Amino acid sequence: MINTHEVENQVPAREDVDEYSSNVPLVEAVARWGRGGAEASAQGLADVGALVGSAAFQRDAERANTHPPVLHAFDRWGRRIDEVEYDDAYHRVIGAAVAAGAHTSAAAAPGPGANVDRAAAFLLFAQVEPGHACPVSMTHAAVPTLELAASGLRDEWMPRLLSRAYDPELGGGDERGGAGADTRAGTAKQSALVGMAMTEKQGGSDVRANTTRAERRGGTGSWGAEYGLTGHKWFCSAPMSDAFLVLAQAPHGPSCFFVPRVLPDGSRNVFRIQRLKDKLGNRSNASSEIELDGTSGWLIGEEGRGVATIVQMVTRTRLDCVIGSAAGMRQSVAEAAWHVQHRRAFGELLVDQPAMAAVVADLALESEAATLTAMRLARSYDVDADDAEQAFRRLATAVAKYWVCKRGAGHAAEALECLGGNGYTEAFPLARRYREQPLLAIWEGSGNVIALDVLRVLAREPAAFEAFFAEVGAAAGESPVFDAALDAARSLVGELSATDAAGAAFLARELTERLALVLQGSLMLRYSPGEVADAFVRTRLGDEGGRQYGVLPRGADVAGILARA
């Protein structure tokens, strides 16, 4: 009898692996910029790496995306409840991320390297399941904005943000830990997730065009000045979160408000979830349209200074977009490298075939550069950052957000192709990743918004450019190709400084791209092995690379590059 279905030459499942220890560039970055390579920190990340690489976690990641959230606007009796139901797998994923401190560990225990360790944990979780990373990131980013709130509000809610005790149910008041909780050790009884709601349908990124109104109510209590908010928000991610930072038009202009889902007396705030968005990817994370109708919100910062207030949050979610894109690149490289190590074609393993080896090596170069950029940027957010470091991050965050996030989609597409037809099926994780990566280029400012932000820095904060070039220039003299690219970037900055607004806007993307590449080239030259740095610089900053992945300089050490992947 002929057997028509023998399964052979199929790649084994890539599961039960340590995603941290196997990511050499990440381990090196944490040792360099993290908490001094502290043993406890390294062990904690190794534990996270083993968890997210486990078969059980991967199954949960898949299930969270194949069983997406469902909106229940009303209960069976017709009462408005506005709740989002998630599969238990999603709660296990986000619960593990919160327990590991991937949200606010850097604020709970600040110090040199704290943001690097937190970024590494965030990257590991986002590598396997990116959807949950949205509320985790927003909660991380809300901390500096909440520091500007009235003391009563801050003292009640900060312990909840720093807590590692995840609970999927909405709660309020005392049951989530009150002002007496330890705000630095993260010991509050129950955690809180914080989202934000800025975008409206008529304005998009132009938040000053928002029409949501805020009207002052009564006096000023322990939470500060209370307002009633009325309006519609076109995008509100993670609507099941416990509270939101919301932009609304107050009498003195756009202002930032803290809007809890549950009010201090235990009743529900008015927070009507109109519908969930049907998105290309990011399926495990609910994104919604919401209606506010006399919704209670408490002013944070000054009236009319809402954009400047919430920028504290946006800057850090932009950082997490960079980290998340780097996480996606790492997943893509890991899956592609695993596949070519086990799949045979034309009589030999794919990894032993020069054309395929060059593609995977090129993908690995991109991933390593993104990881270095993300971790170096995270270090600049630590509490010991001096004025120069803060100036550097002001420019570098925008530059990295633009470039790394834009590179993610093409990178995922090439990695998916390495798996052939299998890669294009939902049974393998790269199909999900392919749909995920474009979102990070849109979130927190799409390409033009970010590039124009770089121009604003050029016009208003010349110290940021000085700090940026001081950092990047540390690699001067290491490579003629890099030196030429660095000179060209400096020349373009000088040219734009003397150009009118329209001319500068036309060149904004070119400027941002050049700055991103010299930043990455500098980091690679200083911190990566010589063969890796050389190949990156010659392909990205020189003229020896192709317009697609897999075109490496002649003589490139492909085997050495692959060994790190």
Side-chain angles (χ1 to χ4, degrees):
M1 177 180 289
I2 298 175
N3 188 339
T4 63
H5 194 70
E6 290 185 9
V7 179
E8 56 186 30
N9 195 29
Q10 284 287 345
V11 176
R14 185 178 179 274
E15 57 189 25
D16 294 326
V17 298
D18 181 350
E19 295 288 8
Y20 176 65
S21 300
S22 63
N23 189 343
V24 177
L26 180 62
V27 171
E28 292 175 350
V30 170
R32 180 182 306 113
W33 293 310
R35 294 183 186 272
E39 183 177 343
S41 173
Q43 183 58 53
L45 289 171
D47 291 343
V48 171
L51 171 64
V52 302
S54 69
F57 191 91
Q58 291 182 34
R59 283 195 297 272
D60 277 346
E62 181 179 5
R63 185 175 178 86
N65 283 271
T66 56
H67 294 72
V70 177
L71 172 63
H72 298 291
F74 301 91
D75 67 12
R76 68 172 81 177
W77 298 280
R79 288 187 289 260
R80 188 100 197 197
I81 57 174
D82 296 293
E83 291 189 355
V84 180
E85 179 185 0
Y86 293 80
D87 190 86
D88 287 345
Y90 175 87
H91 291 303
R92 287 192 292 270
V93 168
I94 195 170
V98 170
H103 61 329
T104 56
S105 61
N115 273 286
V116 177
D117 288 0
R118 178 260 159 193
F122 179 82
L123 184 150
L124 290 167
F125 280 102
Q127 175 183 327
V128 180
E129 204 302 292
H132 82 285
C134 173
V136 170
S137 172
M138 290 191 294
T139 304
H140 153 72
V143 170
T145 298
L146 194 60
E147 294 280 9
L148 304 176
S151 60
L153 177 61
R154 185 177 65 248
D155 291 346
E156 173 144 358
W157 280 87
M158 191 67 79
R160 306 177 195 178
L161 271 65
L162 302 185
S163 171
R164 298 192 183 192
Y166 174 74
D167 190 316
E169 299 297 325
L170 282 176
D174 294 338
E175 73 178 287
R176 293 213 168 198
D182 181 352
T183 64
R184 292 303 165 193
T187 58
K189 180 179 179 182
Q190 186 177 350
S191 68
L193 299 176
V194 176
M196 63 176 156
M198 294 195 295
T199 307
E200 298 184 9
K201 53 183 172 289
Q202 76 284 348
S205 296
D206 183 8
V207 295
R208 294 188 183 278
N210 285 1
T211 59
T212 297
R213 310 301 302 180
E215 297 179 353
R216 180 69 187 270
R217 290 175 176 166
T220 300
S222 64
W223 282 22
E226 183 181 351
Y227 289 69
L229 277 56
T230 301
H232 180 268
K233 294 294 180 179
W234 187 237
F235 276 98
C236 176
S237 285
M240 80 300 179
S241 298
D242 299 88
F244 296 84
L245 297 180
V246 178
L247 279 184
Q249 297 283 358
H252 290 94
S255 305
C256 179
F257 297 91
F258 182 85
V259 175
R261 287 293 310 271
V262 177
L263 295 171
D265 63 4
S267 64
R268 292 288 182 95
N269 205 355
V270 179
F271 192 90
R272 295 175 184 151
I273 305 174
Q274 302 296 78
R275 63 172 174 170
L276 300 186
K277 299 287 193 178
D278 187 7
K279 297 173 293 184
L280 170 68
N282 201 241
R283 291 284 182 167
S284 68
N285 176 45
S287 297
S288 66
E289 295 173 34
I290 63 167
E291 200 79 24
L292 307 174
D293 186 7
T295 302
S296 294
W298 282 263
L299 181 67
I300 296 182
E302 300 175 25
E303 247 197 44
R305 296 278 299 162
V307 175
T309 300
I310 208 167
V311 158
Q312 298 280 342
M313 184 177 190
V314 173
T315 299
R316 285 163 175 79
T317 48
R318 285 181 176 178
L319 166 64
D320 281 355
C321 285
V322 178
I323 300 168
S325 293
M329 289 184 185
R330 173 57 191 170
Q331 183 184 42
S332 297
V333 168
E335 295 292 337
W338 180 266
H339 181 85
V340 302
Q341 284 178 304
H342 294 89
R343 178 78 167 179
R344 304 185 74 87
F346 310 111
E348 59 183 338
L349 287 171
L350 287 173
V351 73
D352 294 329
Q353 301 186 35
M356 180 59 81
V359 170
V360 179
D362 210 358
L363 291 170
L365 291 177
E366 194 75 35
S367 175
E368 179 156 347
T371 299
L372 273 176
T373 303
M375 294 300 115
R376 172 63 184 90
L377 194 55
R379 179 65 181 92
S380 70
Y381 280 81
D382 281 328
V383 294
D384 64 328
D386 58 20
D387 290 345
E389 192 75 349
Q390 292 179 48
F392 163 75
R393 81 184 184 208
R394 172 68 182 95
L395 177 58
T397 301
V399 165
K401 163 65 171 75
Y402 174 90
W403 181 249
V404 175
C405 297
K406 280 198 167 295
R407 296 288 285 178
H411 188 273
E414 192 68 54
L416 181 153
E417 189 176 328
C418 292
L419 275 64
N422 283 352
Y424 201 67
T425 69
E426 294 295 336
F428 292 80
L430 291 193
R432 186 164 69 243
R433 177 56 63 182
Y434 178 69
R435 290 184 280 106
E436 192 75 30
Q437 289 293 73
L439 178 59
L440 293 166
I442 298 171
W443 261 345
E444 313 307 6
S446 53
N448 284 345
V449 171
I450 301 298
L452 293 174
D453 191 30
V454 171
L455 288 187
R456 278 189 288 274
V457 178
L458 178 61
R460 302 172 185 174
E461 303 176 51
F465 275 80
E466 294 171 8
F468 181 89
F469 281 117
E471 167 72 22
V472 170
E478 296 292 326
S479 161
V481 174
F482 171 77
D483 290 348
L486 181 58
D487 288 342
R490 283 189 171 125
S491 295
L492 183 56
V493 169
E495 178 184 343
L496 288 178
S497 297
T499 304
D500 62 25
F506 183 79
L507 296 173
R509 284 186 172 226
E510 179 184 347
L511 171 65
T512 308
E513 179 174 326
R514 285 183 182 272
L515 293 174
L517 285 170
V518 294
L519 173 59
Q520 290 193 321
S522 175
L523 292 170
M524 294 287 276
L525 285 168
R526 286 182 284 158
Y527 302 120
S528 295
E531 68 275 9
V532 176
D534 178 70
F536 180 88
V537 169
R538 289 164 66 188
T539 53
R540 272 62 170 182
L541 280 75
D543 57 4
E544 296 185 67
R547 299 186 187 278
Q548 299 289 351
Y549 287 103
V551 183
L552 293 175
R554 291 169 184 162
D557 185 358
V558 173
I561 298 169
L562 285 176
R564 289 173 65 79

